[in-house]
Amino acid sequence: MLTSVISFCFVVLFLAPQFYILSRPKSSRYCEKPLLSNLIVFIVFSFIATGLAVALTLTDPVPKSIRVAFHSFGLFAFIQGLCTLILTLTAPQCANTTTELYIFSLVVSWGSILSTVFFLVRGSLCLIHKLFPDWLRDTCLWG
């Protein structure tokens, strides 16, 4: 029950600004880059992420199909973040015509960069732990 409430809060926190920007009449103004289409794809990805989060919290032994879907979604989300970063960097003129949309794209781009760095560090540490399981234990000064 608690995980459902927490998931609902995260959905509201992440989707509310996206729908607000989508509903703004200023967001439909002309911009050379397809930032509005990118926002719609990001909304779809948010719904998929919500579904995966619910599926992961409700299943105790996670089936292989859900794990494959989760990792595939992670790869596609990385590609989407990369596309958002490229679109945002090549569309500085959109900051004047669609301000909210451009700022949201900047925030999503920075979030994508930070999450990529986080998962690269986490993946590297996991790989080091798999390859050298006693490495951190042997170098520990206090134990």
Side-chain angles (χ1 to χ4, degrees):
M1 179 67 180
L2 180 64
T3 57
S4 301
V5 172
I6 292 172
S7 296
F8 177 75
C9 291
F10 277 119
V11 168
V12 170
L13 283 174
F14 288 126
L15 284 175
Q18 295 174 41
F19 280 117
Y20 172 74
I21 292 169
L22 186 64
S23 67
R24 301 276 299 160
K26 193 175 181 182
S27 295
S28 62
R29 286 190 187 167
Y30 178 74
C31 182
E32 272 186 34
K33 301 297 177 182
L35 292 181
L36 188 62
S37 300
N38 192 46
L39 174 66
I40 293 169
V41 171
F42 198 80
I43 290 172
V44 170
F45 269 65
S46 297
F47 278 116
I48 294 171
T50 302
L52 281 172
V54 169
L56 287 172
T57 56
L58 293 179
T59 55
D60 189 16
V62 179
K64 188 175 183 177
S65 60
I66 293 179
R67 279 188 274 147
V68 168
F70 179 73
H71 287 93
S72 300
F73 174 75
L75 177 66
F76 290 130
F78 169 73
I79 293 169
Q80 172 63 22
L82 191 61
C83 291
T84 302
L85 179 65
I86 292 169
L87 284 174
T88 306
L89 289 177
T90 59
Q93 69 276 11
C94 294
N96 298 330
T97 57
T98 55
T99 308
E100 296 93 357
L101 185 59
Y102 184 75
I103 290 172
F104 181 76
S105 293
L106 278 175
V107 169
V108 169
S109 297
W110 276 106
S112 177
I113 290 169
L114 292 175
S115 67
T116 299
V117 168
F118 172 77
F119 284 111
L120 282 174
V121 169
R122 188 171 186 264
S124 299
L125 290 173
C126 184
L127 185 65
I128 288 171
H129 179 69
K130 289 281 186 191
L131 293 175
F132 309 105
D134 295 330
W135 182 63
L136 290 176
R137 231 176 291 142
D138 292 343
T139 59
C140 189
L141 296 175
W142 55 83

